[in-house]
Amino acid sequence: MSCKQLMLMKYRLLICLMFFSLPLLAQNSSVENEFISKIHKYNSDIRSIKCRCTQNSVFAIFDKPKSVDGMFYYLADNNIIISLNNGDYIKIIDSVLEMKTGKEITKIKLSSNPALKNLNILISSCFKGDFSTLKSIYNISYSKNSEGSYTLLLTPKKTSKSKNMSVELLFNGKDMSLDNLKMIESEDNYTEYVFRAKEYNMDVKGYFSK
């Protein structure tokens, strides 16, 4: 095969790849527009959330997955509490993270840890329905599932401080609430939060003043 024929074959292959990828790009754009429109419709007026949650931890060093039930609270803007039944908790209040694991309590200003700041933006964006800031941190892929739910796969941009952690989000197609949040370090290492029995715009300020 001559060099000219080889180049022609490469161009044809490139054109074929472009031809078949265009419908996929258009489909993803269509799903994105539909998702953004619906989540703004349902979530733009949410000021607080109270719900049950389950933390599932899967790590290669564990013999088996670990699951802990608890409660989740969100108070606009960007205040979050995950309180687990084993006594552990994560609190983000006024841009300060306080985390209890076992007997150890850690406090960190989000401004000093970009990865944690991005995580706070991520969780708050899901409940507020505002993904404008999130798009500057992650590349986002949108897909619609057969039962009407939406799955978003977020991979950090090269300029992001979120290291190599990708995130998978599952939104309920009926009310656009977040059902699952999965933070993935690798196939064998991830932490998942499952949210259920959600209550909106309740008075949750008392949980944040403790």
Side-chain angles (χ1 to χ4, degrees):
M1 183 180 293
S2 68
C3 184
K4 185 176 181 180
Q5 288 174 318
L6 184 61
M7 289 296 293
L8 183 60
M9 183 177 292
K10 287 182 177 180
Y11 282 129
R12 285 174 177 170
L13 179 60
L14 180 61
I15 290 170
C16 286
L17 288 172
M18 290 175 64
F19 176 78
F20 284 112
S21 66
L22 282 174
L24 294 175
L25 291 171
Q27 183 182 25
N28 189 63
S29 177
S30 174
V31 172
E32 177 183 357
N33 292 337
E34 179 183 307
F35 172 84
I36 295 295
S37 175
K38 287 184 70 175
I39 201 166
H40 276 303
K41 176 183 176 182
Y42 284 94
N43 290 8
S44 58
D45 294 329
I46 291 177
R47 303 299 298 168
S48 69
I49 297 172
K50 175 184 177 182
C51 71
R52 296 179 182 178
C53 70
T54 299
Q55 175 187 275
N56 299 314
S57 301
V58 176
F59 290 97
I61 60 172
F62 293 164
D63 293 333
K64 58 182 180 180
K66 294 187 176 182
S67 295
V68 186
D69 290 331
M71 295 295 296
F72 172 86
Y73 306 94
Y74 164 77
L75 178 65
D77 284 324
N78 302 340
N79 299 296
I80 295 163
I81 295 176
I82 299 175
S83 179
L84 300 176
N85 292 348
N86 62 2
D88 292 351
Y89 61 75
I90 299 171
K91 297 180 181 180
I92 301 177
I93 303 173
D94 295 332
S95 299
V96 175
L97 179 141
E98 180 179 321
M99 180 169 57
K100 181 178 181 291
T101 306
K103 295 182 179 180
E104 184 177 350
I105 296 177
T106 305
K107 277 190 177 184
I108 304 172
K109 287 186 177 181
L110 294 183
S111 57
S112 66
N113 192 312
L116 290 175
K117 183 179 179 180
N118 289 347
L119 179 60
N120 187 33
I121 292 171
L122 165 66
I123 297 174
S124 297
S125 297
C126 292
F127 290 104
K128 290 192 298 184
D130 182 0
F131 284 73
S132 55
T133 305
L134 209 58
K135 286 184 177 181
S136 65
I137 305 170
Y138 294 95
N139 295 308
I140 306 177
S141 173
Y142 302 79
S143 61
K144 188 173 183 179
N145 306 312
S146 58
E147 77 281 6
S149 62
Y150 296 86
T151 298
L152 274 60
L153 181 62
L154 288 67
T155 54
K157 293 186 175 181
K158 291 182 179 179
T159 54
S160 170
K161 301 295 183 180
S162 295
K163 299 182 179 180
N164 295 320
M165 184 182 71
S166 59
V167 181
E168 186 176 286
L169 306 170
L170 178 66
F171 288 86
N172 189 304
K174 294 180 180 178
D175 62 5
M176 299 307 293
S177 62
L178 181 65
D179 283 346
N180 291 67
L181 185 155
K182 188 175 182 180
M183 296 175 287
I184 308 164
E185 294 182 29
S186 67
E187 185 177 347
D188 298 324
N189 297 277
Y190 64 84
T191 301
E192 177 187 38
Y193 290 94
V194 181
F195 304 99
R196 60 191 182 279
K198 309 174 190 88
E199 298 178 83
Y200 301 100
N201 296 328
M202 305 283 289
D203 185 4
V204 299
K205 291 182 180 178
Y207 298 101
F208 291 86
S209 60
K210 294 178 181 179

